[in-house]
Amino acid sequence: MLLAVLMLLQTGNAAGAPPQRIDTIVVENGNVFGEDDGAPGWVANLANGLHIKTRQWVIRRRLLLSRGDRFDPARVEESERALRTLGVFRQVRVDTVTQADGRLALRAVTADGWSTQPQASFTSVNGEQTWNIGIIERNFLGTATELALVYGQDPDRTRVDFEFLNPHFFGRRTLLNLRFADLSDGHRGAWRFGLPFHETSAPHAIETYGEAADERILRFRNGAFQDSSQHILARVGLMGGFSIGGGATTTRRYSRLWGGWEWRREDFRPSVSATMPYSVFTTVRAGTELGVVRFRILEHFNSYARREDVDLSPMIRAGLVFESGVGYELRGQASAVWKRGFALLRVDATGLDTTRTRAQITVVSQNVRRHTLIMHAEGGAVTNPNPGAEFDPWVEQRGPRLFGLHSFTGTRMTWLVFEDRILVADEVLGLFGVGLAPFVEYGGAWYDDQDARHGGDAGMSFRFGPTRAVKGGAGELAFGYRFWDGVPGTRWGLTLRKGFSF
């Protein structure tokens, strides 16, 4: 924050005077529409009248500076990111103001987004149709609590998904997340509760989690159904960590030790007539994580009319896993940044009885006005996976977008995409932004006992996204031509769904 840095310079002197202390916290929260937002008057009045504004105590709880704290520009920046991550605002600005008597005030200026969001998507390829419809309330009663109910149908099954998320369920930082899916061939539920590392300099974290499932797992090969099995899962675990002292953890960098314990029962019955086994596992994990804070704030990247935090922080997380043997966990990322662009490399690998490795690189340039040029490439490999743990690019939305459900599955995967996101209008009637995105991509998935199986497509996406809604990620209507090997049926494809986020 430029204003915060200037304030720091003003409050210091050549003799090295200590930073000022925060005397007052000022919160200014606006409604969905302001006076000059360009929307039709009746729309703005109706939306503002129906919307319940975010409570001031919610905003204050996310700020990382309190009255009496020393001014720290890094914590001011991180407070702004924490408010944006909350997912209930369309605009956020945190800075400092010198009052008439010389005292320093921390000021948080926010504007709410429309939080009640209908959900809909549709894909049609080769006569196979996949769709879902539902509603998500991301700011229930102004408390930043999320409730979601979505019904979906695809060639495999129908499902009803419910989710509850509260980032301050008990105390200021404690998170509670509940998820349940009622499937036409089973059910699955999960929960997570605890105190995560809520800021870079947080001294500790502790969370507990659990999951239960009784579901049918379908396996596909070469785009066709291969077999199925019944999956029984019950697990509960505890994860925690603490920062290493002595200056290794500050507001700009961190060094942590972490560990965890998990009890799990997981079984797969290959057929209805087979006896369900009973397998119990106890897993212990421990390791270290090091990182340096580096964020870029972009516009017109994954959404419209808002600032987006892109995490480019160099980091590495490594640890050992003890179960029936000794395994490993490794996750890291590195980045290069230049004016109006960046390159980001990510690697994620785990290994025990099953090994899974995935690497990806993303290059983004906004050097051309109204254009966001993106090149993304990734690849992965898994060995000895449990049923359902194979790669399926369509399900993950990490593969060619104009191919149908399960067109590519396997233990190896690749994906390469070039896309030019062209801004057409950032604000239409103060309600939504629109753009176009010509694209070309190539990728797929296959098993290690067969030749590589790929497909490609090229076409045009019509991108659109709300500008007054919270979490205004763009949707896309994509149409194009499919090419190269592994293309069943028609050469043309159409999809309407949430746009890729990089």
Side-chain angles (χ1 to χ4, degrees):
M1 300 290 297
L2 179 58
L3 181 58
V5 174
L6 291 175
M7 186 61 66
L8 178 62
L9 295 175
Q10 292 171 358
T11 57
N13 55 45
Q20 279 187 274
R21 292 187 179 273
I22 303 296
D23 178 77
T24 305
I25 306 293
V26 179
V27 174
E28 302 174 15
N29 184 30
N31 214 324
V32 177
F33 289 93
E35 295 181 359
D36 302 316
D37 283 342
W42 69 272
V43 174
N45 292 334
L46 179 62
N48 287 345
L50 293 174
H51 177 70
I52 299 176
K53 288 173 57 177
T54 304
R55 311 295 183 182
Q56 284 213 3
W57 60 264
V58 173
I59 300 172
R60 292 178 182 273
R61 282 186 173 187
R62 300 300 283 187
L63 297 175
L64 304 179
L65 286 165
S66 303
R67 290 188 60 187
D69 289 347
R70 293 182 182 273
F71 172 78
D72 184 339
R75 297 188 78 191
V76 173
E77 293 176 0
E78 194 168 3
S79 294
E80 186 173 297
R81 291 197 299 270
L83 285 171
R84 277 196 288 268
T85 303
L86 200 58
V88 299
F89 304 109
R90 58 183 174 84
Q91 293 179 4
V92 174
R93 181 74 68 176
V94 179
D95 56 19
T96 53
V97 177
T98 301
Q99 298 174 303
D101 55 4
R103 293 180 299 171
L104 191 65
L106 182 70
R107 181 177 64 178
V109 182
T110 64
D112 273 10
W114 181 255
S115 57
T116 306
Q117 299 179 324
Q119 301 292 302
S121 69
F122 175 81
T123 300
S124 178
V125 178
N126 292 339
E128 292 185 349
Q129 297 179 352
T130 301
W131 58 274
N132 67 57
I133 188 170
I135 191 167
I136 299 178
E137 171 54 59
R138 301 189 186 275
N139 195 7
F140 183 65
L141 298 179
T143 63
T145 298
E146 180 175 311
L147 296 170
L149 183 64
V150 179
Y151 174 84
Q153 182 173 312
D154 60 45
D156 294 344
R157 58 178 58 89
T158 61
R159 61 186 298 148
V160 178
D161 292 303
F162 170 79
E163 183 168 9
F164 171 90
L165 174 63
N166 188 317
H168 36 247
F169 179 76
F170 183 77
R172 188 174 183 179
R173 310 287 184 189
T174 305
L175 175 145
L176 175 64
N177 186 201
L178 305 173
R179 291 179 287 117
F180 180 76
D182 184 18
L183 314 173
S184 57
D185 54 359
H187 56 265
R188 172 182 285 269
W191 56 271
R192 175 187 169 203
F193 174 72
L195 176 69
F197 282 108
H198 62 276
E199 63 175 308
T200 305
S201 59
H204 57 263
I206 185 166
E207 296 182 74
T208 182
Y209 61 89
E211 188 175 13
D214 184 352
E215 58 189 348
R216 189 168 62 111
I217 300 295
L218 308 180
R219 300 182 69 189
F220 295 82
R221 187 182 179 98
N222 299 332
F225 173 75
Q226 184 179 25
D227 57 43
S228 68
S229 59
Q230 194 68 21
H231 180 215
I232 298 293
L233 172 66
R235 66 171 180 157
V236 61
L238 181 68
M239 288 289 291
F242 60 89
S243 297
I244 300 174
T249 296
T250 68
T251 55
R252 295 289 186 183
R253 65 179 184 272
Y254 61 86
S255 179
R256 299 165 180 162
L257 297 178
W258 57 269
W261 168 90
E262 179 181 289
W263 177 93
R264 181 176 91 258
R265 180 210 167 176
E266 186 169 26
D267 292 305
F268 295 88
R269 182 172 61 191
S271 66
V272 175
S273 59
T275 301
M276 177 65 76
Y278 192 92
S279 306
V280 175
F281 308 89
T282 300
T283 307
V284 176
R285 298 176 171 85
T288 186
E289 182 175 349
L290 311 172
V292 177
V293 177
R294 178 189 290 172
F295 281 81
R296 290 293 296 271
I297 299 177
L298 300 183
E299 295 182 358
H300 313 138
F301 181 37
N302 291 316
S303 62
Y304 295 101
R306 66 189 65 220
R307 291 152 59 91
E308 304 173 48
D309 296 301
V310 181
D311 187 359
L312 304 176
S313 305
M315 62 81 66
I316 185 168
R317 176 186 174 97
L320 295 177
V321 181
F322 303 92
E323 197 179 89
S324 54
V326 180
Y328 61 87
E329 292 184 10
L330 176 66
R331 186 170 77 248
Q333 71 176 38
S335 62
V337 179
W338 58 90
K339 185 177 181 180
R340 302 188 63 80
F342 66 86
L344 177 64
L345 173 67
R346 290 177 175 154
V347 176
D348 196 341
T350 59
L352 192 60
D353 296 331
T354 296
T355 65
R356 178 180 290 265
T357 304
R358 197 163 192 163
Q360 55 186 288
I361 183 169
T362 306
V363 181
V364 176
S365 172
Q366 292 186 327
N367 293 90
V368 180
R369 184 175 177 270
R370 304 179 75 87
H371 290 254
T372 299
L373 300 170
I374 301 172
M375 186 284 291
H376 176 87
E378 66 177 270
V382 58
T383 62
N384 193 32
N386 286 326
E390 302 88 354
F391 294 113
D392 192 328
W394 191 94
V395 173
E396 300 178 61
Q397 278 198 245
R398 309 299 293 177
R401 69 199 74 186
L402 298 180
F403 286 80
L405 182 66
H406 310 309
S407 292
F408 303 103
T409 54
T411 57
R412 306 288 186 268
M413 69 81 59
T414 59
W415 183 39
L416 173 66
V417 56
F418 295 91
E419 187 169 328
D420 180 12
R421 295 180 172 176
I422 306 168
L423 175 65
V424 175
D426 207 20
E427 290 268 14
V428 177
L429 299 176
L431 299 174
F432 58 93
V434 296
L436 297 174
F439 64 88
V440 59
E441 54 188 342
Y442 183 65
W446 64 97
Y447 288 91
D448 54 1
D449 61 353
Q450 65 179 160
D451 294 334
R453 191 167 185 273
H454 290 109
D457 51 43
M460 178 70 72
S461 290
F462 173 71
R463 291 174 53 83
F464 50 91
T467 58
R468 300 292 149 182
V470 302
K471 293 188 176 180
E476 70 170 20
L477 175 63
F479 177 75
Y481 183 78
R482 309 187 305 156
F483 54 90
W484 287 328
D485 58 326
V487 180
T490 177
R491 290 281 177 171
W492 297 94
L494 172 72
T495 181
L496 170 64
R497 62 180 181 178
K498 182 179 178 182
F500 291 127
S501 293
F502 292 101

